[in-house]
Amino acid sequence: MSEHRTISDWSHETLLSIVETHGTPTYVIDLERIRQNYRRLSSAFEDADIYYAAKANTSGAILQTLGNLGAGIECVSAGEIYRSIRAEIPPSRILYTAVNPPDSDLDFAVNLSGLTINIGSHDTLRRLSERDYRGRICLRINTGSGAGHHKYVSTGSDAKFGFSPDQALYLLSSHSSHDFDIVGIHAHAGSGISPQDMDVHQSLCRTLGDISRSSPIDLEFIDVGGGFGVPYHPEDLSLDLSKVSLEIQKSLGDFSAKLVLEPGRYIVADAGILLTKINTIKNLDSHTIVGVDAGMHTLLRPALYGSYHDIQNISSTETKQSLPNTTVTGPICESADILGVDIELEASATGDILAIGNAGAYGEAMESQYNSFPRSATVAIDGNNIGLIRKRETLEDLCSHEHEVGWF
């Protein structure tokens, strides 16, 4: 079982048959690959409890697949909680990370028996107290240790997230906190943590270990977050999970609580691929511009983070010359609408199908109707079974939530 899956590892024949049936742009999710990734993590962290970070991809098929394997789900909104419950995940297996939560989200969460709420501010504690909440809470701690593939996702050192260690220790020892059932502590360094960033994660773990040993409360769990990265560039290295596991245990030191992890990207990124069709080709003196029917509205990461995704032409039946200095762009009326810049792409023709790799994480989940393009379809593969799990939106769907009024 490979630690990382590339576009070449997918059956191009199967992908092209999906396009023939369902059109483009279309996301494809391989549920068996998700199981493989989960089991690899579970094997490396034998004594840990794994909560999948739903923000990476909230597809019901993924949530249900992971729930059937015993995973819990980490949610950041009432919507993600609702999706999880709809996928038959019991509230007792849901951790709700309440970051500046809207009132409606708190109202929804406090009525779910067994749910654990992860809290990072005194104000959220106050708002829960006003709702007579007496349930399970976890304290989110800002350890000052942030890492990730972009400054926007390096949350561990961002003041927006979590109590300081001193504040957390005060709450753990304060009688005013005893109205709540404090069951754990949590910290999250960021998203897309590379092997080079693991020293930052180890610092986070050392802080959590120190807090757990100073806590007058016997904690049920220590949650070290997720953010484990995957290779996007060909030269990127995969995480050595066995080594990561040993370093986390070493950094935490002696503790009796359960270890909790919140992987998202690691489980779903290489289990997903985006298929898109070439609409136009513009040959210039210095480079080629290939226009496709997916864009920043379909896959936002390149525009938002400057992220790289491997792109291959899978329509070719014979080897063609690769063209350097190719830009792949979509139909959005913005210069930011870029899926690939200065890449080598196999010589292409209008109508060819391009596959965009590592699209299972933060692809479909961040898709929008910007420029009033309907959102794409999603197809799941599970062994020999292939089926539509999210229908393609129509033009009529764009206006389905609007109400007509008589003054225009």
Side-chain angles (χ1 to χ4, degrees):
M1 180 175 58
S2 171
E3 290 190 2
H4 181 65
R5 191 183 199 188
T6 66
I7 294 174
S8 299
D9 296 321
W10 292 75
S11 166
H12 293 187
E13 181 180 358
T14 298
L15 295 177
L16 290 172
S17 70
I18 288 173
V19 170
E20 188 173 336
T21 302
H22 298 286
T24 56
T26 293
Y27 278 101
V28 181
I29 292 293
D30 187 337
L31 299 179
E32 180 55 30
R33 181 61 182 179
I34 286 172
R35 296 187 188 98
Q36 292 172 359
N37 290 341
Y38 175 85
R39 288 169 179 146
R40 190 185 312 108
L41 267 170
S42 183
S43 177
F45 296 88
E46 291 183 357
D47 298 324
D49 199 0
I50 296 176
Y51 279 70
Y52 166 65
K55 65 179 73 67
N57 192 320
T58 53
S59 168
I62 293 175
L63 298 175
Q64 194 164 50
T65 296
L66 289 168
N68 289 340
L69 291 172
I73 308 295
E74 188 261 339
C75 301
V76 297
S77 68
E80 288 186 355
I81 297 172
Y82 175 82
R83 286 176 178 268
S84 299
I85 292 173
R86 185 173 180 269
E88 302 179 347
I89 308 297
S92 61
R93 294 296 293 158
I94 295 174
L95 173 64
Y96 168 41
T97 300
V99 180
N100 300 330
D103 284 341
S104 58
D105 282 36
L106 287 183
D107 292 341
F108 182 77
V110 297
N111 290 311
L112 296 173
S113 177
L115 182 80
T116 302
I117 303 180
N118 187 17
I119 295 165
S121 76
H122 289 93
D123 211 40
T124 303
L125 279 173
R126 174 188 60 77
R127 293 165 67 198
L128 285 174
S129 182
E130 290 173 352
R131 289 165 170 78
D132 295 322
Y133 181 71
R134 297 293 182 267
R136 295 164 55 86
I137 68 169
C138 171
L139 300 181
R140 180 167 187 167
I141 298 167
N142 187 320
T143 66
S145 302
H149 67 84
H150 192 277
K151 64 180 181 179
Y152 292 164
V153 296
S154 182
T155 56
S157 56
D158 190 325
K160 174 179 177 179
F161 303 98
F163 297 103
S164 71
D166 287 344
Q167 288 173 328
L169 282 170
Y170 175 79
L171 288 170
L172 287 166
S173 59
S174 172
H175 291 291
S176 64
S177 302
H178 292 177
D179 286 344
F180 303 102
D181 184 14
I182 303 178
V183 296
I185 55 176
H186 161 279
H188 178 65
S191 183
I193 300 172
S194 69
Q196 294 78 20
D197 292 327
M198 289 312 299
D199 59 333
V200 178
H201 193 267
Q202 290 161 24
S203 174
L204 173 151
C205 291
R206 284 192 290 272
T207 300
L208 289 181
D210 290 343
I211 292 172
S212 72
R213 285 183 289 276
S214 300
S215 171
I217 296 174
D218 290 331
L219 298 172
E220 181 182 309
F221 65 84
I222 300 175
D223 185 339
V224 299
F228 296 156
V230 299
Y232 283 90
H233 290 86
E235 66 273 16
D236 289 346
L237 299 176
S238 298
L239 286 172
D240 182 338
L241 289 182
S242 297
K243 181 179 179 181
V244 170
S245 177
L246 288 172
E247 291 297 333
I248 286 176
Q249 297 282 348
K250 179 181 177 181
S251 299
L252 284 170
D254 293 330
F255 67 99
S256 58
K258 187 79 172 179
L259 175 64
V260 170
L261 304 174
E262 298 175 5
R265 182 191 312 271
Y266 188 91
I267 290 178
V268 295
D270 73 355
I273 206 162
L274 174 60
L275 303 175
T276 183
K277 183 175 70 175
I278 296 177
N279 295 325
T280 59
I281 298 177
K282 183 182 290 187
N283 295 304
L284 304 175
D285 291 339
S286 59
H287 63 288
T288 302
I289 298 177
V290 172
V292 297
D293 59 2
M296 62 185 287
H297 61 303
T298 322
L299 180 64
L300 181 59
R301 296 189 71 251
L304 181 60
Y305 305 125
S307 301
Y308 172 88
H309 286 260
D310 188 26
I311 303 175
Q312 292 184 21
N313 183 345
I314 63 171
S315 290
S316 177
T317 57
E318 58 185 39
T319 303
K320 295 180 181 178
Q321 179 184 0
S322 291
L323 300 179
N325 304 323
T326 296
T327 295
V328 178
T329 184
I332 298 298
C333 192
E334 282 197 29
S335 297
D337 185 27
I338 298 292
L339 297 173
V341 180
D342 293 336
I343 65 172
E344 283 201 18
L345 186 68
E346 197 170 64
S348 305
T350 301
D352 280 359
I353 303 302
L354 303 185
I356 303 176
N358 268 353
Y362 305 102
E364 177 187 321
M366 300 177 80
E367 191 172 5
S368 75
Q369 295 176 340
Y370 186 46
N371 281 193
S372 288
F373 279 98
R375 283 175 288 202
S376 63
T378 304
V379 171
I381 299 175
D382 196 1
N384 294 323
N385 297 316
I386 300 175
L388 186 71
I389 59 172
R390 186 183 71 158
K391 71 173 186 175
R392 186 180 311 285
E393 289 182 337
T394 65
L395 295 178
E396 290 77 13
D397 290 330
L398 296 173
C399 304
S400 62
H401 297 293
E402 295 183 12
H403 292 284
E404 294 185 6
V405 295
W407 47 260
F408 62 81

